[in-house]
Amino acid sequence: MMMNCCGLLTANKEPVPLKSVEVELEVRAHVATVVSTLNYENKEDKPLEAVFVFPLPGDAAVCHFSAKIGQTEIVAEVKEKQKAREEYDDALSSGQQAFLLEESDQSPDIFSLSVGSLRPGESASIRLEYVTELAVQADEGLRFCLPAVLNPRYQPQGSGGSGGSNVQMTSVPASLVPYSLSFSARVSSPRPVSKVESNCPLDALQYLNTEQTQATVKLAAGHKFDRDVELLIYYKDAHQPTAVVEAGQASAKPGTLMGDPVVMLSLYPEFPQAVMSSVTSCGEFVFLLDRSGSMDGARIKSARDTLLLLLKSLPMGCYFNIYSFGSSHEHIFPKSVEYSQKTMEEALKKVEEMDANLGGTEILMPLKHIYSQPCIPSQPRQLFVFTDGEVGNTKEVINLVKKNSGSHRCFSFGIGEGASSALINGLAKEGGGHAQFITGTDRMQPKVMQSLRFALQPAVVDISVKWDLPKGVSVTALSPPITALFQGQRSLVYAQLTGKSLAAEGCVTVKYSLAGHPTQNQLHFSLKPAEDTGITVHRLGARSLIRSLEMEERERGGERDGEVKKKVVELSVQSGVSSAFTAFIAVNKGNGEAIQGPLVRRNVPTPRLWGGCGPPQSIKMMQGPMVFGGMQSNMRMARGACAPVAKQRMMCDSPPMFQCNSISIEHKQPPRDPLLQLVSLQKASGCWVLDPALAAALGKTSEEVEKPKPALVNQEVWATIVALIWLHGFKMDAQEEWELLAMKAVSWLRAQNAPCVTECVEAGNALLGCNMQKDALGL
């Protein structure tokens, strides 16, 4: 067993403070509340202080934090950040127990929790609650993820800066992980729950009512820490727009955010088919790939495969270019070129040679270079950014994209572990595009192709949301204005409803212009709040408003006497939702007895699979909600310097190579996926050529493929029909990945006006042992 010890303590040498983790998930329609209870015990003979650093989704909001020591429970209060830090330090220096939970100054998706002064032999139970929106997947499932492991990165005092260069961690085999996990979920929605899937064994789904709109599910007993817990929730008629009205808190003052009802709208625009089909596919597609050292191994391979699929799926007549960056940046062509067989081949050859060998992650300069290039008339610019999101200047990058949002759309992809959701979501939000997190090859290509489908849709402009409410009821928007709409993509809108009315219904209209056609979608909804719904929607509405105000504060640079900051602090304290300017603080004043003895700091080992999994590049990483992990307490963190944290999925890739301490192990490259092999042979026009490489991709000899070709048919038509039959016959489970390039092949075949198509389909079926109908192939 190789161990990355770094002089730190390991599981079999020292007891570990974290004993068990209990997670309860409450899903309401498209949003979730996550309650996590972490149980600690100090088995040392000295008092203990620990710092626990963990990532949350970038749009999550912590809304409750409490600690129970013995029989005493202390509930944390939200206070202005500096005040909270001072209170924590004062409590520790006077020998009292204290707990501090704060958001990192560098990135809104990293939190640190300081647990101060656990007496020898004492147990503490910490309860942490946060709310988050669930992302819609390409197959319409809503995704929740709880990573199995956290590799904490933190900064020893005095090291300066905010980079995570001083990473200290201890890894142990998953079988030795000394803490246990229990996980349960309750799902409720206006639409029936059709199924819940997971990558981990689940107990059977239990419905709580006959309409099947409420259900519970649990993780099966005996969960080993060998993977993340990923939950995919599916609703019937998921694409119907819905409204959830949540009652205000009785204890809060009417007219305030927490005292009034809040409505959450899930909007799914349906674009008129006539408009969609009349739009010709064109555009300038600019791909920007991260080639910094942290992209090494499985990540850069994923990115190369992704670019292959994208390049093969581009429409004829468009323009494209590929940039890559690290400490410096490179481009394949001096400026964007027209898409043709020649330019596609040239680009693919360069892509195959790309490695993660460009040093650091400096994304700002290549973005400035791209934006300095003149746009091509009637070819709207679409920028695709692939990065693992480990950059130090997230806010500056997002502001640059926002400044150029009038001239392009930005689609972002967070690849692998530690992709900062604040960066990836920020790029897409400010660039009017769409964000995706790629969690390993299992769900990568569908996400990329979904974004390309969105990019091929015409841009939606002049978006407005109009509320029609009865007399006596007014509305205050809590969400920023909608900047982008895509066919079949959800937009969530939050608003506060003030006042009372006898009328029972309200209406909201979303108006926009699509390819010059004014269009609108309407939703009527009941103003009566659903019963016993908690305050999840209020908290997410507050979080949405807090994030908008924080952005405003950054843009203003704190001018106007910190007026915006003051507003954020007020809102955060009132709603109990975390912000960049506040922290949760809990002090146990107890019986006033000071805790004796110097504080000891301990590091909790994080689990790791053995048998092929090495350091980060050989572990599939996953972005997602995180509420527990290795607790590190080796050094007290420099205040306000939470460094970013990798989010890890404990499932082994077949990495080309990994290193563990001084021993390196070489893995043979796995044979190329047959689908990617076939795709790589397609020409830019959409056709395939009859040659030995095609026969090999189909698992046949050249003679076997050439012999059944009908005499009157040319070789390219025959090769293309056989390739289409193979895709439909053997790769329907991956249809989202090849759908666009198959449509291109069908268009090419139609343009050839080829004879004997029916005969070709029959001969192709006989050759491949399939039974595809001509119309199923789109012919």
Side-chain angles (χ1 to χ4, degrees), residues 67 72 141 285 366 377 379 490 589 623 645 652 670 704 774:
T72 313
F285 295 86
Q379 298 282 355
R490 177 199 69 191
K589 305 203 166 61
Q623 196 279 343
V645 178
C652 292
E704 283 173 326
K774 186 174 139 186

Side-chain angles (χ1 to χ4, degrees), residues 47 150 168 171 228 263 366-367 371 390 481 601 610 661 668:
L150 169 70
Q168 307 232 1
S171 301
D228 301 330
V263 61
L367 279 175
Y371 293 140
E390 294 174 5
R601 282 133 189 143
W610 193 243
N661 285 1
K668 282 184 181 162

